Amino acid sequence: MLALARKTLTPEIALRKQANEIEEGLCFLGLAGLMDPPRVDVIEAVKATKTAGLRIIMITGDFGLTADGIAHATGIRRKADADYYRLRPG
């Protein structure tokens, strides 16, 4: 989720690059959500890996709930596995 805002800057403020001057007086425009769904080939690869009897470990820098959503969407984690995973706040 991204918040969008705008502000017209004078050349003097833009050149000084003072964050407090640039970030004050913004006009809120709205919110934008982004989604990057997993590719189909990833889901198929996860299925093949599980069928082969291999254990999958996902390493990511994402926020815990985001990582959990990715694991569920790709088939790495099933809802029944939820108690096994201990998510730590980002």
Side-chain angles (χ1 to χ4, degrees), residues 46 49-50 54-60 71 76 84-85:
V46 168
T49 303
K50 285 188 166 190
L54 300 172
R55 184 173 134 203
I56 300 171
I57 298 173
M58 183 174 82
I59 300 172
T60 179
I76 293 172
Y84 177 79
Y85 294 90

Side-chain angles (χ1 to χ4, degrees), residues 1-6 27-33:
M1 185 66 74
L2 297 173
L4 306 172
R6 73 178 181 106
C27 176
F28 176 73
L29 299 176
L31 298 171

